[in-house]
Amino acid sequence: MMATETGSVVFNPFDPKFRANPYPTYKRLLEEAPVFQSPLGVVLSRHRDCESVLRNHRKWSSDLRNATDSGFEPNLDLFDLDRPFLFLDPPDHTRLRSLVSRAFTPRVVEELRARVQVIVDDLLNAVSEQGIMEVIDDFAHPLPVIVISEMLGVPSQSHSQFREWSAELAKSLDPELAAQPEAVERQRRAIALFDDLFKELIAERRDKPKGDLLSALVQAEEEGDKLTEGELLSTCRLILIAGHETTVNLIGNGVLQLLRHPDELQKLRDDPSLAGSAVEEILRYDPPVQLTGRIALEDMEFDGVAVPKGHGVTCLIGAANRDPERFPDPETFDITRGDDRHLSFGFGIHFCIGAPLARVEGQVALATFVRRLKSPELLTKSPKYKNFVLRGLESLSVEFGGMRPAGQR
Ligand code: HEM
């Protein structure tokens, strides 16, 4: 894709400046070209336009096999078979989603809060003497990996292996990284390695079911008409990857924003009951998933810009979350805002199934971080981002002057 110009707005997702900080470009798109014709299809920035696309799944498909415009999805051939349900429409989407949704209801997830607290405290205890922590590697990454692996039933010895495979698959979402030579080959290999791991675990569960989500899915597969073995594998892969790549970024982006806004950090330290609202504001202000796409199932248009059947639209979540029509004073980071109508978990039938879990992990991680670390200071001044679509930091070093013990204020 090339840089595209409409009037004075330049939208180029390959520009390093844009990748480091996309928000000034979003602001200009909202002001000057909220419906923007790019070589990859129409790009939408307004909250109401993005919401209406995501709401209207009968007109807007998540299944890229409906795309006639080949520019939209570089790695289409990766997904010949058994696409994860994120990329499917009803009725297959409905059937597969319903098999896992029970594991992620707010009530079930709330019961995990105490376990999340133990993991968070253990991770902080492990670095408490060091005076410096690497927030991504020591904290933001291990937490969601441990939580989702325990839910699904993946043993901890596999964690370091699938970190690499998962990062490889996350790259397929970023047009620049996906265009690298051999990217498709590396991604195919990552899928094969995931599937080998899960095939082994599935065989174990068939022999001896446990109380985990994998056992429940294996049982559904054995009952016959609910899901095939291919769908079982694609669902496991989806949950394992979606369950951690994004949550790492919520915690990493959250620590960064709190350290950049010391008054907001102090508010959270003084009043831990603000954790829920702080997490919503981090999600709004610096969302871990910056965009999502849909394919028109019939001829559509926005503000007179046509989207023919089979063409794609991109919904810029990061821009919609700062739409002044929807959020007063959108450029201000305010953890007391108390507004959860951002689009960071999507909207409609594909609304993130893991949202309750991500919220609990984010709340416990960030509230505990600000409570326990004394005088945290940011050492990484110009953080680098791994990926444009999944906005996550490569690394983030923080210095601190000691740590309060777990469970004390
Ligand atoms: C802060 C963390 C997270 C963010 C920002 C996030 C974001 C999103 C978004 C934007 C979507 C919708 C995509 C679309 O409509 O095109 C989505 C779907 C999904 N998410 Fe998350 N997610 C997070 C954490 C999780 C967790 C912890 C899980 C865990 C199990 C998870 C599992 C899923 C699944 C399975 C879907 C597909 C839902 C469907 O197609 O019906 N996510 N997520």
Side-chain angles (χ1 to χ4, degrees), residues 54 85-86 93 97 104 148 238-239 242-244 246-247 250 283 288-289 292-294 317 343-347 349-355 357-358 361:
L54 299 178
F85 63 83
L86 172 63
H93 167 264
R97 181 176 164 118
F104 294 97
I148 197 67
L238 171 65
I239 292 171
H244 84 272
T246 46
T247 314
L250 165 63
L283 286 164
V289 179
T292 185
R294 292 293 188 268
I317 293 171
L343 296 180
S344 301
F345 288 125
F347 193 85
I349 61 166
H350 290 276
F351 182 83
C352 176
I353 226 170
L357 180 61
E361 291 183 53

Side-chain angles (χ1 to χ4, degrees), residues 69-119:
D69 171 14
S70 61
F72 188 72
E73 163 59 41
N75 284 349
L76 208 63
D77 60 344
L78 255 186
F79 301 107
D80 308 341
L81 289 168
D82 306 316
R83 311 163 77 84
F85 63 83
L86 172 63
F87 300 115
L88 292 174
D89 295 331
D92 287 338
H93 167 264
T94 324
R95 171 175 55 88
L96 294 168
R97 181 176 164 118
S98 73
L99 292 174
V100 289
S101 58
R102 261 166 295 156
F104 294 97
T105 61
R107 195 182 53 80
V108 173
V109 168
E110 204 46 52
E111 285 167 12
L112 290 175
R113 190 180 282 270
R115 173 72 188 131
V116 172
Q117 183 69 60
V118 169
I119 301 168

Side-chain angles (χ1 to χ4, degrees), residues 75 87 169-175 178 187 291 387-390:
N75 284 349
F87 300 115
L169 290 182
K171 284 184 193 166
S172 67
L173 294 174
D174 184 315
Q187 284 153 18
L291 58 86
N387 189 305
F388 153 61
V389 177
L390 300 184

Side-chain angles (χ1 to χ4, degrees), residues 1-6 11-14 36-43 69-73 311-312 314:
M1 185 171 56
M2 297 171 325
T4 310
E5 230 169 301
T6 285
F11 173 67
N12 177 9
F14 300 127
F36 182 76
Q37 182 74 62
S38 92
L40 282 192
V42 167
V43 175
D69 171 14
S70 61
F72 188 72
E73 163 59 41
H311 285 226
T314 296

